[in-house]
Amino acid sequence: MSRFWSDVVKGLTPYVPGEQPKLANLVKLNTNENPYGPSPRALEAIRAATDDSLKLYPDPNADLLKRAIAAGHGVDAGNVFVGNGSDEVLAHAFLGLLRHRLPILFPDITYSFYPVYCGLYQVDYETIPLLEDFSIRAADYAKPNGGIILPNPNAPTGRLLPLSEIEALLQANTDSVVVIDEAYVDFGGESAIPLIARHANLLVVQTLSKSRSLAGLRVGFAVGHIELIEALERVKNSFNSYPLDRLAIAGAVAAMEDHDWFERTRKAVITTREKLVADLASLGFEIVPSAANFVFARHPRRDAAETAQALRERSVIVRHFKMPRIDQYLRITVGTDEQCAALIAALKEIAG
Ligand SMILES: *Cc1c(COP(=O)(O)O)cnc(C)c1O
């Protein structure tokens, strides 16, 4: 704490990202990265863009990318906003669309960045408890609110809310914005993007970090009614006009256009997830049904923090949250078959 800090900064509780250890030979299953790497066509496009043109500013509107995203999702480019990772897109949504008189609503167990943005932008919030099995009940959100935000599938549980429930949420909340954070939707969910045609209060946020394996490039986007997009553009152009650099735009366009790579790698993750679930179950773990590229699991007789530590001693890193209701769970990213086999072998060794 310094006397030079503003009151806002004094009051912040910043987000703590999963660690990125610099060690070699780690089985890194802690931050939901995609083990298959980006589309080779994306890498080639980034290489091709690495030339003298970097002296020039990028297109502030990233029109090429907006068009590629719009084409991929059957919407108009005017329905698309792009940002420096979906975290930035979400941040702009908190300031531009969720900051009202009434508190916003989100689940008690969810992406831990949401309360951080509330702190930064001074947005009041109320958390709605997940049911005992970690599912979301849309009816619990039927109360006056300044907006609703939730990930689908939810993080860190991996549980999916059916589109019919999202539609119910939208119908019950026509006076506020509903943000659906679809960071993991490509691993087993159905996107709510087609609903934007009928619901002017729906903003769908996605990222290229997980299913397109481009976490290091920092590209995310939102799809919604043109008036919602305009709010995000107004915030963006009051903050940083060039959130996407030339390399990010080139790589993201190529990644969005490489359907084969996308389909092949996301299906591989889903297949490995199902095997991982079966293997964990055979070791006595209880696993929350997952539609994501991670599983959320607990062992009825083994302490989660101790297991995470024992795994770490065997060079396997998973995520443990020291938080109410979930402190006996481990969030395990779906790696390659080999990485998951190494995890299972380490768990067997720990069990003795
Ligand atoms: C990973 C993740 C994001 C952030 O993704 P970036 O695009 O890398 O900023 C957003 N929401 C949820 C729920 C996530 O898990």
Side-chain angles (χ1 to χ4, degrees), residues 267-281:
K267 280 180 187 147
V269 169
I270 292 168
T271 303
T272 304
R273 178 184 69 215
E274 297 316 309
K275 172 148 177 28
L276 175 62
V277 167
D279 289 348
L280 287 170

PDB file of all heavy atoms in Angstrom, residues 267-281:
ATOM      1  N   LYS A 267     -12.169 -32.404 -31.299  1.00  0.00           N
ATOM      2  CA  LYS A 267     -12.682 -33.766 -31.118  1.00  0.00           C
ATOM      3  C   LYS A 267     -11.687 -34.627 -30.353  1.00  0.00           C
ATOM      4  O   LYS A 267     -12.081 -35.467 -29.542  1.00  0.00           O
ATOM      5  CB  LYS A 267     -13.018 -34.396 -32.471  1.00  0.00           C
ATOM      6  CG  LYS A 267     -14.363 -33.907 -32.985  1.00  0.00           C
ATOM      7  CD  LYS A 267     -14.735 -34.505 -34.318  1.00  0.00           C
ATOM      8  CE  LYS A 267     -16.003 -33.851 -34.852  1.00  0.00           C
ATOM      9  NZ  LYS A 267     -15.981 -33.776 -36.329  1.00  0.00           N
ATOM     10  N   ALA A 268     -10.390 -34.416 -30.609  1.00  0.00           N
ATOM     11  CA  ALA A 268      -9.368 -35.178 -29.877  1.00  0.00           C
ATOM     12  C   ALA A 268      -9.464 -34.870 -28.376  1.00  0.00           C
ATOM     13  O   ALA A 268      -9.367 -35.771 -27.535  1.00  0.00           O
ATOM     14  CB  ALA A 268      -7.979 -34.837 -30.412  1.00  0.00           C
ATOM     15  N   VAL A 269      -9.680 -33.601 -28.047  1.00  0.00           N
ATOM     16  CA  VAL A 269      -9.800 -33.225 -26.631  1.00  0.00           C
ATOM     17  C   VAL A 269     -11.019 -33.909 -26.012  1.00  0.00           C
ATOM     18  O   VAL A 269     -10.951 -34.452 -24.899  1.00  0.00           O
ATOM     19  CB  VAL A 269      -9.895 -31.684 -26.477  1.00  0.00           C
ATOM     20  CG1 VAL A 269     -10.295 -31.300 -25.062  1.00  0.00           C
ATOM     21  CG2 VAL A 269      -8.576 -31.028 -26.869  1.00  0.00           C
ATOM     22  N   ILE A 270     -12.126 -33.926 -26.743  1.00  0.00           N
ATOM     23  CA  ILE A 270     -13.359 -34.536 -26.205  1.00  0.00           C
ATOM     24  C   ILE A 270     -13.155 -36.040 -25.991  1.00  0.00           C
ATOM     25  O   ILE A 270     -13.541 -36.584 -24.943  1.00  0.00           O
ATOM     26  CB  ILE A 270     -14.546 -34.263 -27.169  1.00  0.00           C
ATOM     27  CG1 ILE A 270     -14.879 -32.767 -27.163  1.00  0.00           C
ATOM     28  CG2 ILE A 270     -15.762 -35.104 -26.774  1.00  0.00           C
ATOM     29  CD1 ILE A 270     -15.834 -32.325 -28.276  1.00  0.00           C
ATOM     30  N   THR A 271     -12.518 -36.689 -26.943  1.00  0.00           N
ATOM     31  CA  THR A 271     -12.272 -38.135 -26.814  1.00  0.00           C
ATOM     32  C   THR A 271     -11.388 -38.428 -25.602  1.00  0.00           C
ATOM     33  O   THR A 271     -11.674 -39.331 -24.808  1.00  0.00           O
ATOM     34  CB  THR A 271     -11.592 -38.666 -28.104  1.00  0.00           C
ATOM     35  OG1 THR A 271     -12.431 -38.347 -29.212  1.00  0.00           O
ATOM     36  CG2 THR A 271     -11.376 -40.163 -28.043  1.00  0.00           C
ATOM     37  N   THR A 272     -10.322 -37.640 -25.455  1.00  0.00           N
ATOM     38  CA  THR A 272      -9.422 -37.846 -24.318  1.00  0.00           C
ATOM     39  C   THR A 272     -10.138 -37.549 -22.998  1.00  0.00           C
ATOM     40  O   THR A 272      -9.915 -38.231 -21.990  1.00  0.00           O
ATOM     41  CB  THR A 272      -8.170 -36.959 -24.458  1.00  0.00           C
ATOM     42  OG1 THR A 272      -7.549 -37.240 -25.708  1.00  0.00           O
ATOM     43  CG2 THR A 272      -7.188 -37.219 -23.328  1.00  0.00           C
ATOM     44  N   ARG A 273     -11.005 -36.546 -23.013  1.00  0.00           N
ATOM     45  CA  ARG A 273     -11.747 -36.227 -21.787  1.00  0.00           C
ATOM     46  C   ARG A 273     -12.572 -37.433 -21.324  1.00  0.00           C
ATOM     47  O   ARG A 273     -12.568 -37.771 -20.135  1.00  0.00           O
ATOM     48  CB  ARG A 273     -12.679 -35.029 -22.022  1.00  0.00           C
ATOM     49  CG  ARG A 273     -13.510 -34.683 -20.776  1.00  0.00           C
ATOM     50  CD  ARG A 273     -14.496 -33.562 -21.062  1.00  0.00           C
ATOM     51  NE  ARG A 273     -15.554 -33.977 -21.947  1.00  0.00           N
ATOM     52  CZ  ARG A 273     -16.138 -33.195 -22.875  1.00  0.00           C
ATOM     53  NH1 ARG A 273     -15.757 -31.934 -23.012  1.00  0.00           N
ATOM     54  NH2 ARG A 273     -17.100 -33.662 -23.642  1.00  0.00           N
ATOM     55  N   GLU A 274     -13.238 -38.089 -22.263  1.00  0.00           N
ATOM     56  CA  GLU A 274     -14.083 -39.214 -21.868  1.00  0.00           C
ATOM     57  C   GLU A 274     -13.248 -40.351 -21.292  1.00  0.00           C
ATOM     58  O   GLU A 274     -13.651 -40.996 -20.322  1.00  0.00           O
ATOM     59  CB  GLU A 274     -14.941 -39.678 -23.056  1.00  0.00           C
ATOM     60  CG  GLU A 274     -15.919 -38.600 -23.545  1.00  0.00           C
ATOM     61  CD  GLU A 274     -16.660 -37.874 -22.418  1.00  0.00           C
ATOM     62  OE1 GLU A 274     -17.247 -38.548 -21.550  1.00  0.00           O
ATOM     63  OE2 GLU A 274     -16.635 -36.621 -22.383  1.00  0.00           O
ATOM     64  N   LYS A 275     -12.072 -40.563 -21.843  1.00  0.00           N
ATOM     65  CA  LYS A 275     -11.185 -41.602 -21.309  1.00  0.00           C
ATOM     66  C   LYS A 275     -10.667 -41.199 -19.927  1.00  0.00           C
ATOM     67  O   LYS A 275     -10.617 -42.014 -19.008  1.00  0.00           O
ATOM     68  CB  LYS A 275     -10.011 -41.826 -22.280  1.00  0.00           C
ATOM     69  CG  LYS A 275      -8.928 -42.740 -21.728  1.00  0.00           C
ATOM     70  CD  LYS A 275      -8.267 -43.549 -22.819  1.00  0.00           C
ATOM     71  CE  LYS A 275      -7.114 -44.433 -22.326  1.00  0.00           C
ATOM     72  NZ  LYS A 275      -7.163 -44.889 -20.969  1.00  0.00           N
ATOM     73  N   LEU A 276     -10.327 -39.916 -19.787  1.00  0.00           N
ATOM     74  CA  LEU A 276      -9.832 -39.418 -18.497  1.00  0.00           C
ATOM     75  C   LEU A 276     -10.904 -39.575 -17.417  1.00  0.00           C
ATOM     76  O   LEU A 276     -10.616 -40.001 -16.290  1.00  0.00           O
ATOM     77  CB  LEU A 276      -9.416 -37.943 -18.638  1.00  0.00           C
ATOM     78  CG  LEU A 276      -8.987 -37.228 -17.358  1.00  0.00           C
ATOM     79  CD1 LEU A 276      -7.736 -37.891 -16.762  1.00  0.00           C
ATOM     80  CD2 LEU A 276      -8.707 -35.743 -17.643  1.00  0.00           C
ATOM     81  N   VAL A 277     -12.127 -39.258 -17.760  1.00  0.00           N
ATOM     82  CA  VAL A 277     -13.234 -39.395 -16.800  1.00  0.00           C
ATOM     83  C   VAL A 277     -13.358 -40.856 -16.350  1.00  0.00           C
ATOM     84  O   VAL A 277     -13.474 -41.144 -15.147  1.00  0.00           O
ATOM     85  CB  VAL A 277     -14.559 -38.895 -17.428  1.00  0.00           C
ATOM     86  CG1 VAL A 277     -15.759 -39.320 -16.601  1.00  0.00           C
ATOM     87  CG2 VAL A 277     -14.530 -37.375 -17.578  1.00  0.00           C
ATOM     88  N   ALA A 278     -13.297 -41.780 -17.311  1.00  0.00           N
ATOM     89  CA  ALA A 278     -13.420 -43.200 -16.970  1.00  0.00           C
ATOM     90  C   ALA A 278     -12.256 -43.645 -16.077  1.00  0.00           C
ATOM     91  O   ALA A 278     -12.455 -44.360 -15.078  1.00  0.00           O
ATOM     92  CB  ALA A 278     -13.463 -44.038 -18.251  1.00  0.00           C
ATOM     93  N   ASP A 279     -11.046 -43.189 -16.412  1.00  0.00           N
ATOM     94  CA  ASP A 279      -9.874 -43.585 -15.621  1.00  0.00           C
ATOM     95  C   ASP A 279      -9.934 -43.011 -14.203  1.00  0.00           C
ATOM     96  O   ASP A 279      -9.591 -43.688 -13.236  1.00  0.00           O
ATOM     97  CB  ASP A 279      -8.580 -43.124 -16.314  1.00  0.00           C
ATOM     98  CG  ASP A 279      -8.292 -43.922 -17.576  1.00  0.00           C
ATOM     99  OD1 ASP A 279      -8.955 -44.965 -17.787  1.00  0.00           O
ATOM    100  OD2 ASP A 279      -7.424 -43.496 -18.358  1.00  0.00           O
ATOM    101  N   LEU A 280     -10.358 -41.766 -14.086  1.00  0.00           N
ATOM    102  CA  LEU A 280     -10.480 -41.159 -12.751  1.00  0.00           C
ATOM    103  C   LEU A 280     -11.556 -41.878 -11.941  1.00  0.00           C
ATOM    104  O   LEU A 280     -11.375 -42.140 -10.748  1.00  0.00           O
ATOM    105  CB  LEU A 280     -10.823 -39.663 -12.874  1.00  0.00           C
ATOM    106  CG  LEU A 280      -9.701 -38.739 -13.354  1.00  0.00           C
ATOM    107  CD1 LEU A 280     -10.250 -37.341 -13.656  1.00  0.00           C
ATOM    108  CD2 LEU A 280      -8.593 -38.642 -12.302  1.00  0.00           C
ATOM    109  N   ALA A 281     -12.655 -42.219 -12.596  1.00  0.00           N
ATOM    110  CA  ALA A 281     -13.742 -42.925 -11.899  1.00  0.00           C
ATOM    111  C   ALA A 281     -13.249 -44.272 -11.385  1.00  0.00           C
ATOM    112  O   ALA A 281     -13.586 -44.682 -10.269  1.00  0.00           O
ATOM    113  CB  ALA A 281     -14.940 -43.102 -12.831  1.00  0.00           C
TER     114      ALA A 281
END
